[in-house]
Amino acid sequence: MSNVDLLGRRKFIAGLGVAAGAAMVAPAMAVSEKADGVKWDKEIEIVIIGSGFAGLAAGIEATKLGAKDVHIFEKMSYFGGNSAINGGLFAAPGTPMQSKEGINDSVDRMVADQLAAGRGIADEALLRHVAEHAMEALQMTFDAGSEYHPYLQQLGGHSVARTYQTTVSCGAGITQPLLHKCRELGVHTHNRSKFEGFLVGEKGEVLGVKMRDNYHFGEDQPGKVINIRAKRGVIMATGGFAQNVNLRMAQDPTLTSEVGCTNAPGATGEGMYEMFRLGAVPVHLAHIQSGPWASPDEGGFGYVSNYSIYNFPHSIAINRLTGQRFMDEIADRKTRADAELACRDEQGNALPPILITSYKDSKKHPNTKKVIKYNVGWKFDSVEELASHFNVPLKALKTQIEEYNQYVKSGEDKQFGKNMTKAAGKYIEAPFTVVRLWPKVHYCQGGVQINTKAEVKDSFTGVAIPGLYAAGEVCGGIHGVSRLGSCSIPECMVMGMTAARSMMKA
């Protein structure tokens, strides 16, 4: 059975392609400079760098508040950045669907869940700010035309179901409508435009930016650099650095180029670097999160990730060496990723665990057909067939399934304390669908420090850097050690909206 014991490295490399290969090299560094005597090529009211959730929300909000000349710059050829390929999962408390389903939730409860996952170092003020305004951000997506599945999901670490997911099961179900809304409102959008540094005044205030036109990622095709004056300021929404292997290895040497990554190739961190040059405070850079729902059998985020996220509450994760469960399937991400990485064979080699789900329950998610079609998931008619395929001890597996089904019946997981609310009535029984699990680098908790106004703090003065705002994954310290799934989109959008509001009040 060596075919199921490989970590799928070849598939991973093939999935990322040439662009990811280029990202293995550290990106060319931008250089900020004094604006003394600089010749301005353009003057713009608001400059937004990055076209993901944060940048698009900022563009819409600024325009609604009266801004007349808003420009969004994106370095890649396509808009949406890493946001376009994320899971499309949006958590918020006190939503219409929670009310419809009779779910009791609150800002305090959502914040408490995130603080627990953050293990004592999350920023409570920022988490509370995001939770308080999450419904406003969700409403922005409704207004833009985003469509969601007609049910809520309860993701790992959340004490209740509070997560919406787009009907296309990816972030493009939000970024595309937001991009359309931006253009409808008159926001100017520019692709192949690479940020090359800030232009600052005598007191360190951000006056504008240097942008390279006609930029082709991973290719030596330098376009012309132009100097843009930003009258109200600059919003940095450039995302994380998970594809910058040199930088992530500096924080965690185990995260080599052989470790899979769910991010788009452009997530390389130049914007963050440049804010550090200005004096921004670096926070939590070493906390790099891996997604426990990923598969070693496909490249990038793939189909299995959303399949697993949906199915974890009513599935069992099995260590193939023992045939037993080894974790709470809906614990927070770090807990589960660490537990999966501990699954090894008798020689200590990686042995990716399996997630077993009843087909009748898994098929309710649209990705089930895709994982089977593309051979990254399997369907079995009997437990004997399943155990033989993955070389799992049959007797131990049968015993485990019987034991777990008793937990489904009683509503109490005596093995790992899993919240069984979403597992009610969903027994593990044939036919089964099965996928393999192995963590992939997914999210960087580290970045620049901001306050609840989305202002970037100066490490030398302790006050905000004038004219500079930041939102989204480029910011650090918000989530602490582990970010709960579906909390990134509300954070990005709320802080993007907040940056626009702060800028328009300044």
Side-chain angles (χ1 to χ4, degrees):
M1 299 310 298
S2 60
N3 63 311
V4 293
D5 289 330
L6 295 174
L7 270 180
R9 183 180 172 197
R10 289 177 186 167
K11 290 184 182 179
F12 162 64
I13 293 171
L16 289 181
V18 176
M24 298 308 174
V25 180
M29 291 298 294
V31 179
S32 295
E33 61 185 57
K34 294 286 186 183
D36 246 5
V38 71
K39 177 182 177 296
W40 298 105
D41 297 293
K42 288 183 181 179
E43 186 169 88
I44 289 172
E45 184 179 2
I46 292 176
V47 170
I48 300 171
I49 311 295
S51 68
F53 300 125
L56 294 169
I60 292 170
E61 188 68 13
T63 305
K64 286 183 174 179
L65 292 175
K68 304 298 183 187
D69 188 30
V70 180
H71 291 248
I72 295 176
F73 295 90
E74 169 58 53
K75 77 176 178 181
M76 305 302 284
S77 60
Y78 50 87
F79 292 96
N82 199 51
S83 298
I85 64 166
N86 96 331
L89 294 152
F90 194 121
T95 62
M97 209 182 307
Q98 282 185 323
S99 179
K100 181 180 177 182
E101 295 186 12
I103 295 169
N104 181 27
D105 197 10
S106 66
V107 168
D108 286 344
R109 190 166 187 172
M110 181 166 166
V111 171
D113 289 346
Q114 292 178 276
L115 287 174
R119 291 161 170 76
I121 61 169
D123 190 316
E124 184 172 357
L126 284 169
L127 290 177
R128 186 167 297 279
H129 177 76
V130 171
E132 287 174 345
H133 297 279
M135 188 57 226
E136 293 173 47
L138 184 61
Q139 187 63 50
M140 179 183 280
T141 72
F142 291 157
D143 294 343
S146 292
E147 297 180 354
Y148 296 90
H149 290 306
Y151 51 78
L152 288 173
Q153 297 184 49
Q154 182 175 348
L155 273 61
H158 293 265
S159 59
V160 296
R162 61 167 67 98
T163 298
Y164 285 70
Q165 185 174 38
T166 61
T167 53
V168 291
S169 299
C170 73
I174 296 173
T175 58
Q176 286 298 313
L178 292 183
L179 178 63
H180 179 77
K181 177 61 70 172
C182 277
R183 289 170 172 167
E184 184 182 286
L185 293 172
V187 175
H188 304 275
T189 56
H190 313 266
N191 63 343
R192 295 196 187 280
S193 297
K194 183 176 181 292
F195 171 73
E196 291 284 351
F198 297 105
L199 291 161
V200 299
E202 287 300 319
K203 297 179 180 178
E205 71 276 24
V206 173
L207 299 178
V209 294
K210 297 184 291 182
M211 299 298 301
R212 186 178 296 276
D213 280 339
N214 193 31
Y215 173 74
H216 291 248
F217 181 79
E219 300 177 29
D220 187 18
Q221 296 182 23
K224 179 184 177 184
V225 175
I226 60 173
N227 300 321
I228 301 175
R229 179 74 184 259
K231 289 190 285 186
R232 287 188 182 269
V234 176
I235 298 175
M236 296 296 287
T238 51
F241 59 88
Q243 285 284 20
N244 185 333
V245 177
N246 288 339
L247 179 54
R248 77 188 199 199
M249 283 183 67
Q251 311 303 322
D252 183 344
T254 68
L255 300 180
T256 67
S257 59
E258 292 187 359
V259 178
C261 181
T262 66
N263 285 202
T268 48
E270 300 97 320
M272 180 186 71
Y273 271 131
E274 201 56 27
M275 285 190 279
F276 291 157
R277 282 181 184 265
L278 284 189
V281 182
V283 187
H284 296 180
L285 293 184
H287 293 305
I288 300 172
Q289 184 177 72
S290 293
W293 22 252
S295 167
D297 298 307
E298 59 183 347
F301 195 80
Y303 293 114
V304 173
S305 297
N306 271 327
Y307 165 92
S308 300
I309 289 168
Y310 173 80
N311 284 298
F312 267 127
H314 49 265
S315 302
I316 54 174
I318 296 295
N319 183 326
R320 287 157 53 201
L321 187 65
T322 65
Q324 297 288 295
R325 289 173 72 211
F326 60 94
M327 67 178 185
D328 169 359
E329 291 84 2
I330 56 171
D332 69 65
R333 285 176 171 176
K334 179 171 174 52
T335 298
R336 286 180 291 164
D338 289 349
E340 289 171 13
L341 290 170
C343 290
R344 305 275 163 175
D345 64 18
E346 291 169 340
Q347 287 72 47
N349 299 312
L351 188 64
I354 54 175
L355 187 72
I356 302 175
T357 314
S358 293
Y359 178 70
K360 63 178 172 55
D361 296 318
S362 72
K363 70 180 181 180
K364 295 173 184 176
H365 194 274
N367 279 18
T368 300
K369 290 182 180 178
K370 294 174 182 176
V371 300
I372 295 172
K373 177 182 178 181
Y374 294 109
N375 299 313
V376 294
W378 298 263
K379 183 180 177 185
F380 301 102
D381 292 324
S382 70
V383 68
E384 288 82 5
E385 185 184 356
L386 186 164
S388 174
H389 184 84
F390 290 103
N391 197 26
V392 177
L394 177 60
K395 184 178 179 181
L397 180 59
K398 281 186 171 181
T399 300
Q400 176 64 89
I401 291 174
E402 289 173 6
E403 184 177 344
Y404 180 81
N405 282 338
Q406 286 300 312
Y407 303 154
V408 174
K409 185 177 182 179
S410 67
E412 181 186 0
D413 174 10
K414 293 182 179 180
Q415 277 181 293
F416 294 99
K418 175 180 175 178
N419 184 319
M420 300 297 285
T421 304
K422 285 286 184 176
K426 297 178 179 177
Y427 296 95
I428 304 298
E429 52 193 19
F432 309 101
T433 44
V434 181
V435 296
R436 297 199 306 157
L437 302 171
W438 199 253
K440 289 180 183 175
V441 176
H442 178 63
Y443 188 87
C444 300
Q445 270 92 250
V448 302
Q449 188 177 43
I450 59 169
N451 59 23
T452 54
K453 296 180 181 178
E455 298 168 331
V456 179
K457 293 183 69 174
D458 188 318
S459 58
F460 297 102
T461 65
V463 298
I465 298 173
L468 181 62
Y469 304 82
E473 196 178 344
V474 75
C475 305
I478 299 172
H479 301 284
V481 174
S482 182
R483 176 178 69 80
L484 291 186
S486 69
C487 290
S488 177
I489 301 179
E491 179 219 327
C492 289
M493 290 190 63
V494 167
M495 296 316 297
M497 295 163 70
T498 299
R501 291 170 181 175
S502 297
M503 185 177 281
M504 293 302 289
K505 287 178 183 176

mmCIF file of all heavy atoms in Angstrom, residues 132-159:
data_model
loop_
_atom_site.group_PDB
_atom_site.id
_atom_site.type_symbol
_atom_site.label_atom_id
_atom_site.label_comp_id
_atom_site.label_asym_id
_atom_site.label_seq_id
_atom_site.Cartn_x
_atom_site.Cartn_y
_atom_site.Cartn_z
ATOM 1 N N GLU A 132 -17.901 42.831 17.055
ATOM 2 C CA GLU A 132 -18.979 43.827 17.154
ATOM 3 C C GLU A 132 -19.439 44.326 15.791
ATOM 4 O O GLU A 132 -20.586 44.740 15.630
ATOM 5 C CB GLU A 132 -18.509 45.009 18.004
ATOM 6 C CG GLU A 132 -18.420 44.701 19.493
ATOM 7 C CD GLU A 132 -17.813 45.831 20.309
ATOM 8 O OE1 GLU A 132 -17.201 46.744 19.705
ATOM 9 O OE2 GLU A 132 -17.939 45.797 21.545
ATOM 10 N N HIS A 133 -18.536 44.300 14.820
ATOM 11 C CA HIS A 133 -18.863 44.839 13.495
ATOM 12 C C HIS A 133 -18.949 43.762 12.418
ATOM 13 O O HIS A 133 -19.116 44.086 11.235
ATOM 14 C CB HIS A 133 -17.827 45.897 13.092
ATOM 15 C CG HIS A 133 -17.800 47.090 13.996
ATOM 16 N ND1 HIS A 133 -18.700 48.131 13.887
ATOM 17 C CD2 HIS A 133 -17.009 47.388 15.058
ATOM 18 C CE1 HIS A 133 -18.457 49.032 14.831
ATOM 19 N NE2 HIS A 133 -17.425 48.600 15.560
ATOM 20 N N ALA A 134 -18.838 42.481 12.814
ATOM 21 C CA ALA A 134 -18.845 41.393 11.833
ATOM 22 C C ALA A 134 -20.141 41.350 11.033
ATOM 23 O O ALA A 134 -20.126 41.098 9.823
ATOM 24 C CB ALA A 134 -18.614 40.057 12.532
ATOM 25 N N MET A 135 -21.277 41.618 11.685
ATOM 26 C CA MET A 135 -22.549 41.574 10.976
ATOM 27 C C MET A 135 -22.621 42.679 9.914
ATOM 28 O O MET A 135 -23.202 42.486 8.850
ATOM 29 C CB MET A 135 -23.708 41.686 11.972
ATOM 30 C CG MET A 135 -25.082 41.461 11.355
ATOM 31 S SD MET A 135 -25.263 39.865 10.516
ATOM 32 C CE MET A 135 -26.039 40.404 8.989
ATOM 33 N N GLU A 136 -22.003 43.836 10.200
ATOM 34 C CA GLU A 136 -21.965 44.906 9.197
ATOM 35 C C GLU A 136 -21.193 44.456 7.963
ATOM 36 O O GLU A 136 -21.589 44.737 6.825
ATOM 37 C CB GLU A 136 -21.284 46.150 9.777
ATOM 38 C CG GLU A 136 -22.040 46.834 10.892
ATOM 39 C CD GLU A 136 -21.199 47.943 11.521
ATOM 40 O OE1 GLU A 136 -20.615 48.748 10.761
ATOM 41 O OE2 GLU A 136 -21.088 47.993 12.759
ATOM 42 N N ALA A 137 -20.084 43.766 8.196
ATOM 43 C CA ALA A 137 -19.284 43.279 7.078
ATOM 44 C C ALA A 137 -20.033 42.204 6.299
ATOM 45 O O ALA A 137 -20.014 42.178 5.062
ATOM 46 C CB ALA A 137 -17.949 42.735 7.592
ATOM 47 N N LEU A 138 -20.699 41.305 7.028
ATOM 48 C CA LEU A 138 -21.493 40.275 6.359
ATOM 49 C C LEU A 138 -22.593 40.909 5.519
ATOM 50 O O LEU A 138 -22.857 40.488 4.387
ATOM 51 C CB LEU A 138 -22.101 39.324 7.397
ATOM 52 C CG LEU A 138 -22.892 38.127 6.866
ATOM 53 C CD1 LEU A 138 -22.004 37.223 6.017
ATOM 54 C CD2 LEU A 138 -23.504 37.334 8.023
ATOM 55 N N GLN A 139 -23.209 41.950 6.060
ATOM 56 C CA GLN A 139 -24.245 42.660 5.315
ATOM 57 C C GLN A 139 -23.678 43.282 4.047
ATOM 58 O O GLN A 139 -24.354 43.314 3.007
ATOM 59 C CB GLN A 139 -24.882 43.742 6.195
ATOM 60 C CG GLN A 139 -26.085 44.426 5.564
ATOM 61 C CD GLN A 139 -27.244 43.467 5.303
ATOM 62 O OE1 GLN A 139 -27.653 42.725 6.187
ATOM 63 N NE2 GLN A 139 -27.759 43.458 4.081
ATOM 64 N N MET A 140 -22.430 43.759 4.105
ATOM 65 C CA MET A 140 -21.794 44.312 2.907
ATOM 66 C C MET A 140 -21.705 43.251 1.818
ATOM 67 O O MET A 140 -21.928 43.538 0.638
ATOM 68 C CB MET A 140 -20.387 44.853 3.231
ATOM 69 C CG MET A 140 -19.655 45.420 2.014
ATOM 70 S SD MET A 140 -17.964 45.990 2.362
ATOM 71 C CE MET A 140 -18.298 47.602 3.103
ATOM 72 N N THR A 141 -21.411 42.009 2.216
ATOM 73 C CA THR A 141 -21.345 40.940 1.209
ATOM 74 C C THR A 141 -22.738 40.617 0.668
ATOM 75 O O THR A 141 -22.892 40.356 -0.523
ATOM 76 C CB THR A 141 -20.687 39.659 1.771
ATOM 77 O OG1 THR A 141 -21.555 38.998 2.699
ATOM 78 C CG2 THR A 141 -19.361 39.966 2.454
ATOM 79 N N PHE A 142 -23.744 40.637 1.550
ATOM 80 C CA PHE A 142 -25.123 40.423 1.087
ATOM 81 C C PHE A 142 -25.485 41.483 0.042
ATOM 82 O O PHE A 142 -26.022 41.185 -1.020
ATOM 83 C CB PHE A 142 -26.122 40.528 2.247
ATOM 84 C CG PHE A 142 -26.053 39.417 3.263
ATOM 85 C CD1 PHE A 142 -26.536 39.622 4.552
ATOM 86 C CD2 PHE A 142 -25.533 38.174 2.951
ATOM 87 C CE1 PHE A 142 -26.498 38.612 5.497
ATOM 88 C CE2 PHE A 142 -25.484 37.150 3.893
ATOM 89 C CZ PHE A 142 -25.971 37.376 5.172
ATOM 90 N N ASP A 143 -25.198 42.737 0.387
ATOM 91 C CA ASP A 143 -25.552 43.855 -0.486
ATOM 92 C C ASP A 143 -24.828 43.779 -1.824
ATOM 93 O O ASP A 143 -25.351 44.236 -2.857
ATOM 94 C CB ASP A 143 -25.224 45.187 0.198
ATOM 95 C CG ASP A 143 -26.079 45.443 1.439
ATOM 96 O OD1 ASP A 143 -27.113 44.773 1.587
ATOM 97 O OD2 ASP A 143 -25.679 46.297 2.262
ATOM 98 N N ALA A 144 -23.618 43.211 -1.818
ATOM 99 C CA ALA A 144 -22.832 43.100 -3.048
ATOM 100 C C ALA A 144 -23.296 41.925 -3.912
ATOM 101 O O ALA A 144 -22.950 41.850 -5.093
ATOM 102 C CB ALA A 144 -21.350 42.941 -2.715
ATOM 103 N N GLY A 145 -24.077 41.015 -3.312
ATOM 104 C CA GLY A 145 -24.601 39.893 -4.081
ATOM 105 C C GLY A 145 -24.009 38.538 -3.759
ATOM 106 O O GLY A 145 -24.259 37.556 -4.467
ATOM 107 N N SER A 146 -23.222 38.432 -2.665
ATOM 108 C CA SER A 146 -22.679 37.120 -2.279
ATOM 109 C C SER A 146 -23.814 36.189 -1.878
ATOM 110 O O SER A 146 -24.787 36.610 -1.249
ATOM 111 C CB SER A 146 -21.707 37.274 -1.103
ATOM 112 O OG SER A 146 -20.543 37.960 -1.496
ATOM 113 N N GLU A 147 -23.675 34.928 -2.224
ATOM 114 C CA GLU A 147 -24.679 33.925 -1.893
ATOM 115 C C GLU A 147 -24.052 32.848 -1.013
ATOM 116 O O GLU A 147 -22.904 32.447 -1.238
ATOM 117 C CB GLU A 147 -25.244 33.297 -3.173
ATOM 118 C CG GLU A 147 -25.981 34.303 -4.051
ATOM 119 C CD GLU A 147 -26.535 33.665 -5.315
ATOM 120 O OE1 GLU A 147 -26.248 32.471 -5.560
ATOM 121 O OE2 GLU A 147 -27.255 34.354 -6.057
ATOM 122 N N TYR A 148 -24.817 32.379 -0.036
ATOM 123 C CA TYR A 148 -24.315 31.421 0.939
ATOM 124 C C TYR A 148 -25.199 30.183 1.003
ATOM 125 O O TYR A 148 -26.390 30.233 0.691
ATOM 126 C CB TYR A 148 -24.250 32.073 2.332
ATOM 127 C CG TYR A 148 -23.280 33.223 2.417
ATOM 128 C CD1 TYR A 148 -23.686 34.525 2.139
ATOM 129 C CD2 TYR A 148 -21.954 33.007 2.764
ATOM 130 C CE1 TYR A 148 -22.795 35.588 2.206
ATOM 131 C CE2 TYR A 148 -21.051 34.067 2.838
ATOM 132 C CZ TYR A 148 -21.481 35.350 2.557
ATOM 133 O OH TYR A 148 -20.587 36.400 2.619
ATOM 134 N N HIS A 149 -24.589 29.069 1.431
ATOM 135 C CA HIS A 149 -25.365 27.849 1.663
ATOM 136 C C HIS A 149 -26.457 28.154 2.699
ATOM 137 O O HIS A 149 -26.258 28.995 3.589
ATOM 138 C CB HIS A 149 -24.466 26.735 2.208
ATOM 139 C CG HIS A 149 -23.482 26.201 1.206
ATOM 140 N ND1 HIS A 149 -23.854 25.723 -0.027
ATOM 141 C CD2 HIS A 149 -22.118 26.066 1.264
ATOM 142 C CE1 HIS A 149 -22.780 25.310 -0.683
ATOM 143 N NE2 HIS A 149 -21.718 25.513 0.069
ATOM 144 N N PRO A 150 -27.582 27.454 2.642
ATOM 145 C CA PRO A 150 -28.693 27.760 3.557
ATOM 146 C C PRO A 150 -28.554 27.098 4.924
ATOM 147 O O PRO A 150 -29.558 26.765 5.563
ATOM 148 C CB PRO A 150 -29.901 27.197 2.795
ATOM 149 C CG PRO A 150 -29.346 26.047 2.029
ATOM 150 C CD PRO A 150 -27.958 26.473 1.614
ATOM 151 N N TYR A 151 -27.342 26.886 5.389
ATOM 152 C CA TYR A 151 -27.110 26.291 6.704
ATOM 153 C C TYR A 151 -25.850 26.889 7.313
ATOM 154 O O TYR A 151 -24.985 27.413 6.610
ATOM 155 C CB TYR A 151 -26.954 24.773 6.599
ATOM 156 C CG TYR A 151 -25.947 24.318 5.565
ATOM 157 C CD1 TYR A 151 -24.566 24.368 5.830
ATOM 158 C CD2 TYR A 151 -26.361 23.844 4.322
ATOM 159 C CE1 TYR A 151 -23.642 23.964 4.887
ATOM 160 C CE2 TYR A 151 -25.433 23.442 3.370
ATOM 161 C CZ TYR A 151 -24.076 23.498 3.650
ATOM 162 O OH TYR A 151 -23.160 23.104 2.709
ATOM 163 N N LEU A 152 -25.768 26.833 8.640
ATOM 164 C CA LEU A 152 -24.575 27.291 9.351
ATOM 165 C C LEU A 152 -23.690 26.106 9.675
ATOM 166 O O LEU A 152 -24.161 24.983 9.861
ATOM 167 C CB LEU A 152 -24.965 27.991 10.657
ATOM 168 C CG LEU A 152 -25.615 29.369 10.539
ATOM 169 C CD1 LEU A 152 -26.087 29.832 11.913
ATOM 170 C CD2 LEU A 152 -24.658 30.387 9.936
ATOM 171 N N GLN A 153 -22.386 26.357 9.756
ATOM 172 C CA GLN A 153 -21.443 25.317 10.152
ATOM 173 C C GLN A 153 -20.815 25.678 11.496
ATOM 174 O O GLN A 153 -20.655 26.853 11.820
ATOM 175 C CB GLN A 153 -20.346 25.158 9.101
ATOM 176 C CG GLN A 153 -20.855 24.694 7.745
ATOM 177 C CD GLN A 153 -19.743 24.449 6.756
ATOM 178 O OE1 GLN A 153 -18.764 23.788 7.040
ATOM 179 N NE2 GLN A 153 -19.894 24.997 5.561
ATOM 180 N N GLN A 154 -20.447 24.657 12.250
ATOM 181 C CA GLN A 154 -19.729 24.847 13.504
ATOM 182 C C GLN A 154 -18.305 24.353 13.292
ATOM 183 O O GLN A 154 -18.046 23.156 13.276
ATOM 184 C CB GLN A 154 -20.390 24.089 14.655
ATOM 185 C CG GLN A 154 -19.680 24.324 15.999
ATOM 186 C CD GLN A 154 -20.399 23.666 17.156
ATOM 187 O OE1 GLN A 154 -21.537 23.223 17.028
ATOM 188 N NE2 GLN A 154 -19.737 23.586 18.302
ATOM 189 N N LEU A 155 -17.382 25.281 13.136
ATOM 190 C CA LEU A 155 -15.998 24.932 12.869
ATOM 191 C C LEU A 155 -15.236 24.677 14.162
ATOM 192 O O LEU A 155 -15.710 25.027 15.244
ATOM 193 C CB LEU A 155 -15.309 26.034 12.050
ATOM 194 C CG LEU A 155 -15.456 25.910 10.520
ATOM 195 C CD1 LEU A 155 -16.902 25.978 10.081
ATOM 196 C CD2 LEU A 155 -14.642 26.987 9.814
ATOM 197 N N GLY A 156 -14.059 24.092 14.031
ATOM 198 C CA GLY A 156 -13.239 23.753 15.177
ATOM 199 C C GLY A 156 -12.983 24.944 16.094
ATOM 200 O O GLY A 156 -12.598 26.021 15.635
ATOM 201 N N GLY A 157 -13.189 24.741 17.395
ATOM 202 C CA GLY A 157 -12.928 25.782 18.378
ATOM 203 C C GLY A 157 -14.092 26.715 18.638
ATOM 204 O O GLY A 157 -14.082 27.472 19.608
ATOM 205 N N HIS A 158 -15.111 26.687 17.787
ATOM 206 C CA HIS A 158 -16.308 27.517 17.983
ATOM 207 C C HIS A 158 -17.289 26.762 18.871
ATOM 208 O O HIS A 158 -17.559 25.582 18.641
ATOM 209 C CB HIS A 158 -16.971 27.838 16.649
ATOM 210 C CG HIS A 158 -16.174 28.733 15.750
ATOM 211 N ND1 HIS A 158 -16.359 30.093 15.708
ATOM 212 C CD2 HIS A 158 -15.175 28.462 14.868
ATOM 213 C CE1 HIS A 158 -15.528 30.630 14.822
ATOM 214 N NE2 HIS A 158 -14.797 29.652 14.304
ATOM 215 N N SER A 159 -17.859 27.451 19.846
ATOM 216 C CA SER A 159 -18.771 26.792 20.781
ATOM 217 C C SER A 159 -20.185 26.649 20.237
ATOM 218 O O SER A 159 -21.001 25.909 20.795
ATOM 219 C CB SER A 159 -18.806 27.559 22.112
ATOM 220 O OG SER A 159 -19.237 28.894 21.910
#
